[in-house]
Amino acid sequence: QVQLVESGGGLVQAGGSLTLSCAASGSSFSANSMAWYRQPPGKERELVAVTTGRTQSTNYADSVKGRFTISRDLTKNTAYLQMNNLKPEDTAVYYCQAVYYSAIYWGQGTQVTVSS
């Protein structure tokens, strides 16, 4: 059973930076893709960024392009989300997702709060 453990959330002032980490365990294979989603208070969960395959192609939500960077260390089965120039509207619970063929796994979520 694959487990995802997120870390790195916290409270930061607007304009600040945070780096989230998502460590995957329980599989001898690398995930086909890893992504970060977020769920702001009272809103639906939304895709923030995704990295796919060994070429690590990436896609981002328009709202974070130019500010967030997703990366992945295949040797450590860990994905990262570098978040710069954070805004109050980035406040949300951030979730890591990993896809292994047809199986989808989620982390428990980590809170990011950006104060104005």
Side-chain angles (χ1 to χ4, degrees):
Q1 181 74 5
V2 173
Q3 290 188 322
L4 304 177
V5 178
E6 299 124 332
S7 60
L11 173 64
V12 64
Q13 289 189 328
S17 299
L18 282 174
T19 300
L20 305 182
S21 299
C22 173
S25 62
S27 174
S28 57
F29 300 98
S30 296
N32 299 110
S33 67
M34 295 189 76
W36 289 95
Y37 285 72
R38 67 185 181 188
Q39 187 164 15
K43 296 186 178 180
E44 300 273 323
R45 191 175 297 189
E46 61 184 10
L47 176 66
V48 175
V50 58
T51 179
T52 304
R54 290 200 171 267
T55 60
Q56 300 192 40
S57 61
T58 58
N59 279 291
Y60 297 90
D62 288 343
S63 59
V64 306
K65 281 181 181 176
R67 299 188 299 122
F68 290 12
T69 302
I70 188 171
S71 61
R72 193 172 159 191
D73 186 334
L74 293 175
T75 65
K76 297 181 180 179
N77 284 331
T78 301
Y80 304 94
L81 186 67
Q82 173 68 43
M83 304 184 293
N84 297 325
N85 190 22
L86 282 159
K87 304 176 181 181
E89 51 264 42
D90 294 318
T91 294
V93 178
Y94 283 71
Y95 296 91
C96 177
Q97 182 207 65
V99 177
Y100 289 77
Y101 301 100
S102 60
I104 299 173
Y105 299 92
W106 292 92
Q108 80 286 355
T110 185
Q111 177 70 46
V112 172
T113 303
V114 184
S115 63
S116 56

